[in-house]
Amino acid sequence: MVLAFLGGDADGAMMFDTLTALRNLLTVTILVLAAAVPASTARAQQQVVVVVVNGEPITALDIEQRTKLTQLSTHKAPARQDVIEELITEKLKVREAKRLGLDISNAEVDGAYASMASRMRFTPEQLTQQLAKSGVNVGTLKHRIKADLAWPQLVRGRYRGS
């Protein structure tokens, strides 16, 4: 076979074409896999749990999203530790509200979101689009709203008698 390949007869040319095709296929496969690895690695890194608060994880993606949201609203880049502390506080507020039987419904969160959009002279859909343009998932803002709605109810319920 090697002699035929080197000799240049018809079988050798066909084998050369087959090897070239296989080499090209292998090259394309390697390039596709190489392109996919950074994307999957980036997703995996974003799902890395940074902190666990009462069994609830805060991931690198949560921190990244909250950082973008804060930067969008304040026009300043927050310190990573400040973002983590804010997320921890929110998790604790929501958890404590649930523990005391206060459940903030999705309808309440959506209403507050719509009200916020209205104050900004947007529809909720337009606000969602603006957030997406800035790389912020709407769930990030809605989680913050939920914590902000839970806290006053929690405080009123706890200190109602005093």
Side-chain angles (χ1 to χ4, degrees):
M1 228 190 288
V2 174
L3 293 175
F5 178 70
L6 295 175
D9 64 359
D11 288 338
M14 185 191 298
M15 185 175 286
F16 180 76
D17 289 342
T18 303
L19 287 174
T20 302
L22 286 173
R23 187 178 316 131
N24 290 342
L25 180 62
L26 181 61
T27 302
V28 169
T29 303
I30 289 170
L31 289 174
V32 168
L33 290 175
V37 168
S40 64
T41 302
R43 278 192 298 275
Q45 287 174 343
Q46 289 177 338
Q47 295 307 318
V48 169
V49 175
V50 177
V51 178
V52 177
V53 180
N54 291 335
E56 292 185 47
I58 295 175
T59 66
L61 179 61
D62 297 330
I63 295 167
E64 176 187 319
Q65 285 289 299
R66 181 52 62 89
T67 299
K68 287 179 181 179
L69 178 64
T70 302
Q71 196 165 9
L72 183 64
S73 62
T74 64
H75 303 290
K76 291 185 272 181
R80 180 178 168 86
Q81 189 58 40
D82 291 344
V83 171
I84 292 170
E85 289 174 12
E86 184 178 330
L87 289 167
I88 290 170
T89 300
E90 285 178 13
K91 293 259 187 208
L92 292 172
K93 286 177 181 179
V94 171
R95 173 68 80 132
E96 186 67 10
K98 282 183 184 178
R99 190 180 73 72
L100 295 175
L102 300 172
D103 188 32
I104 308 301
S105 71
N106 288 340
E108 288 176 273
V109 173
D110 289 342
Y113 182 78
S115 177
M116 179 183 289
S118 176
R119 286 190 306 272
M120 298 168 74
R121 301 190 197 290
F122 287 137
T123 65
E125 294 78 20
Q126 289 171 325
L127 178 55
T128 300
Q129 289 171 354
Q130 289 298 318
L131 289 170
K133 284 181 186 175
S134 299
V136 178
N137 183 313
V138 67
T140 301
L141 178 55
K142 286 188 175 185
H143 187 271
R144 183 176 181 175
I145 290 171
K146 185 172 189 170
D148 288 346
L149 291 174
W151 188 245
Q153 289 183 27
L154 201 151
V155 171
R156 272 195 306 271
R158 183 166 278 180
Y159 298 106
R160 187 176 305 171
S162 56

PDB file of all heavy atoms in Angstrom, residues 136-149:
ATOM      1  N   VAL A 136     -27.875  42.161  31.262  1.00  0.00           N
ATOM      2  CA  VAL A 136     -28.457  41.828  32.561  1.00  0.00           C
ATOM      3  C   VAL A 136     -29.725  41.013  32.347  1.00  0.00           C
ATOM      4  O   VAL A 136     -30.622  41.417  31.609  1.00  0.00           O
ATOM      5  CB  VAL A 136     -28.801  43.105  33.370  1.00  0.00           C
ATOM      6  CG1 VAL A 136     -29.449  42.757  34.691  1.00  0.00           C
ATOM      7  CG2 VAL A 136     -27.550  43.945  33.580  1.00  0.00           C
ATOM      8  N   ASN A 137     -29.801  39.876  33.026  1.00  0.00           N
ATOM      9  CA  ASN A 137     -30.992  39.038  32.984  1.00  0.00           C
ATOM     10  C   ASN A 137     -32.064  39.680  33.849  1.00  0.00           C
ATOM     11  O   ASN A 137     -31.781  40.132  34.970  1.00  0.00           O
ATOM     12  CB  ASN A 137     -30.638  37.641  33.508  1.00  0.00           C
ATOM     13  CG  ASN A 137     -31.789  36.680  33.439  1.00  0.00           C
ATOM     14  OD1 ASN A 137     -32.902  36.980  33.828  1.00  0.00           O
ATOM     15  ND2 ASN A 137     -31.496  35.498  32.950  1.00  0.00           N
ATOM     16  N   VAL A 138     -33.291  39.697  33.367  1.00  0.00           N
ATOM     17  CA  VAL A 138     -34.384  40.327  34.104  1.00  0.00           C
ATOM     18  C   VAL A 138     -34.584  39.679  35.474  1.00  0.00           C
ATOM     19  O   VAL A 138     -34.985  40.342  36.436  1.00  0.00           O
ATOM     20  CB  VAL A 138     -35.698  40.315  33.265  1.00  0.00           C
ATOM     21  CG1 VAL A 138     -36.216  38.905  33.082  1.00  0.00           C
ATOM     22  CG2 VAL A 138     -36.747  41.191  33.896  1.00  0.00           C
ATOM     23  N   GLY A 139     -34.258  38.399  35.594  1.00  0.00           N
ATOM     24  CA  GLY A 139     -34.391  37.708  36.873  1.00  0.00           C
ATOM     25  C   GLY A 139     -33.518  38.312  37.959  1.00  0.00           C
ATOM     26  O   GLY A 139     -33.856  38.252  39.147  1.00  0.00           O
ATOM     27  N   THR A 140     -32.414  38.896  37.575  1.00  0.00           N
ATOM     28  CA  THR A 140     -31.518  39.532  38.535  1.00  0.00           C
ATOM     29  C   THR A 140     -32.218  40.699  39.219  1.00  0.00           C
ATOM     30  O   THR A 140     -32.177  40.830  40.445  1.00  0.00           O
ATOM     31  CB  THR A 140     -30.238  40.029  37.817  1.00  0.00           C
ATOM     32  OG1 THR A 140     -29.601  38.904  37.214  1.00  0.00           O
ATOM     33  CG2 THR A 140     -29.295  40.719  38.766  1.00  0.00           C
ATOM     34  N   LEU A 141     -32.872  41.534  38.431  1.00  0.00           N
ATOM     35  CA  LEU A 141     -33.595  42.673  38.998  1.00  0.00           C
ATOM     36  C   LEU A 141     -34.814  42.191  39.778  1.00  0.00           C
ATOM     37  O   LEU A 141     -35.101  42.699  40.862  1.00  0.00           O
ATOM     38  CB  LEU A 141     -34.014  43.650  37.898  1.00  0.00           C
ATOM     39  CG  LEU A 141     -34.826  44.869  38.347  1.00  0.00           C
ATOM     40  CD1 LEU A 141     -34.105  45.655  39.443  1.00  0.00           C
ATOM     41  CD2 LEU A 141     -35.132  45.765  37.159  1.00  0.00           C
ATOM     42  N   LYS A 142     -35.506  41.197  39.270  1.00  0.00           N
ATOM     43  CA  LYS A 142     -36.705  40.718  39.956  1.00  0.00           C
ATOM     44  C   LYS A 142     -36.370  40.070  41.299  1.00  0.00           C
ATOM     45  O   LYS A 142     -37.145  40.183  42.246  1.00  0.00           O
ATOM     46  CB  LYS A 142     -37.492  39.770  39.056  1.00  0.00           C
ATOM     47  CG  LYS A 142     -38.214  40.518  37.943  1.00  0.00           C
ATOM     48  CD  LYS A 142     -39.133  39.625  37.163  1.00  0.00           C
ATOM     49  CE  LYS A 142     -39.931  40.423  36.136  1.00  0.00           C
ATOM     50  NZ  LYS A 142     -40.917  39.597  35.438  1.00  0.00           N
ATOM     51  N   HIS A 143     -35.221  39.432  41.400  1.00  0.00           N
ATOM     52  CA  HIS A 143     -34.822  38.872  42.696  1.00  0.00           C
ATOM     53  C   HIS A 143     -34.580  39.992  43.701  1.00  0.00           C
ATOM     54  O   HIS A 143     -34.964  39.897  44.870  1.00  0.00           O
ATOM     55  CB  HIS A 143     -33.572  37.997  42.563  1.00  0.00           C
ATOM     56  CG  HIS A 143     -33.238  37.288  43.824  1.00  0.00           C
ATOM     57  ND1 HIS A 143     -32.433  37.841  44.786  1.00  0.00           N
ATOM     58  CD2 HIS A 143     -33.627  36.081  44.307  1.00  0.00           C
ATOM     59  CE1 HIS A 143     -32.337  37.012  45.799  1.00  0.00           C
ATOM     60  NE2 HIS A 143     -33.050  35.928  45.537  1.00  0.00           N
ATOM     61  N   ARG A 144     -33.961  41.050  43.227  1.00  0.00           N
ATOM     62  CA  ARG A 144     -33.719  42.201  44.097  1.00  0.00           C
ATOM     63  C   ARG A 144     -35.044  42.826  44.533  1.00  0.00           C
ATOM     64  O   ARG A 144     -35.213  43.194  45.696  1.00  0.00           O
ATOM     65  CB  ARG A 144     -32.861  43.221  43.360  1.00  0.00           C
ATOM     66  CG  ARG A 144     -32.500  44.415  44.189  1.00  0.00           C
ATOM     67  CD  ARG A 144     -31.571  45.315  43.427  1.00  0.00           C
ATOM     68  NE  ARG A 144     -31.205  46.458  44.234  1.00  0.00           N
ATOM     69  CZ  ARG A 144     -30.342  47.356  43.868  1.00  0.00           C
ATOM     70  NH1 ARG A 144     -29.747  47.268  42.703  1.00  0.00           N
ATOM     71  NH2 ARG A 144     -30.063  48.370  44.642  1.00  0.00           N
ATOM     72  N   ILE A 145     -35.973  42.949  43.604  1.00  0.00           N
ATOM     73  CA  ILE A 145     -37.288  43.504  43.922  1.00  0.00           C
ATOM     74  C   ILE A 145     -37.981  42.640  44.970  1.00  0.00           C
ATOM     75  O   ILE A 145     -38.582  43.150  45.920  1.00  0.00           O
ATOM     76  CB  ILE A 145     -38.154  43.632  42.644  1.00  0.00           C
ATOM     77  CG1 ILE A 145     -37.592  44.740  41.739  1.00  0.00           C
ATOM     78  CG2 ILE A 145     -39.610  43.894  42.997  1.00  0.00           C
ATOM     79  CD1 ILE A 145     -38.227  44.798  40.357  1.00  0.00           C
ATOM     80  N   LYS A 146     -37.900  41.339  44.814  1.00  0.00           N
ATOM     81  CA  LYS A 146     -38.552  40.420  45.759  1.00  0.00           C
ATOM     82  C   LYS A 146     -38.014  40.634  47.169  1.00  0.00           C
ATOM     83  O   LYS A 146     -38.782  40.701  48.131  1.00  0.00           O
ATOM     84  CB  LYS A 146     -38.340  38.971  45.321  1.00  0.00           C
ATOM     85  CG  LYS A 146     -39.080  37.973  46.171  1.00  0.00           C
ATOM     86  CD  LYS A 146     -38.982  36.579  45.578  1.00  0.00           C
ATOM     87  CE  LYS A 146     -39.907  35.640  46.320  1.00  0.00           C
ATOM     88  NZ  LYS A 146     -40.027  34.348  45.647  1.00  0.00           N
ATOM     89  N   ALA A 147     -36.708  40.748  47.295  1.00  0.00           N
ATOM     90  CA  ALA A 147     -36.105  40.990  48.611  1.00  0.00           C
ATOM     91  C   ALA A 147     -36.535  42.350  49.156  1.00  0.00           C
ATOM     92  O   ALA A 147     -36.830  42.483  50.351  1.00  0.00           O
ATOM     93  CB  ALA A 147     -34.591  40.910  48.530  1.00  0.00           C
ATOM     94  N   ASP A 148     -36.593  43.340  48.271  1.00  0.00           N
ATOM     95  CA  ASP A 148     -36.999  44.681  48.697  1.00  0.00           C
ATOM     96  C   ASP A 148     -38.461  44.727  49.123  1.00  0.00           C
ATOM     97  O   ASP A 148     -38.831  45.517  49.997  1.00  0.00           O
ATOM     98  CB  ASP A 148     -36.748  45.701  47.579  1.00  0.00           C
ATOM     99  CG  ASP A 148     -35.264  45.988  47.373  1.00  0.00           C
ATOM    100  OD1 ASP A 148     -34.441  45.617  48.236  1.00  0.00           O
ATOM    101  OD2 ASP A 148     -34.921  46.565  46.320  1.00  0.00           O
ATOM    102  N   LEU A 149     -39.302  43.891  48.536  1.00  0.00           N
ATOM    103  CA  LEU A 149     -40.705  43.814  48.936  1.00  0.00           C
ATOM    104  C   LEU A 149     -40.869  43.035  50.242  1.00  0.00           C
ATOM    105  O   LEU A 149     -41.736  43.352  51.059  1.00  0.00           O
ATOM    106  CB  LEU A 149     -41.549  43.161  47.842  1.00  0.00           C
ATOM    107  CG  LEU A 149     -41.747  43.947  46.555  1.00  0.00           C
ATOM    108  CD1 LEU A 149     -42.481  43.102  45.516  1.00  0.00           C
ATOM    109  CD2 LEU A 149     -42.515  45.239  46.819  1.00  0.00           C
TER     110      LEU A 149
END
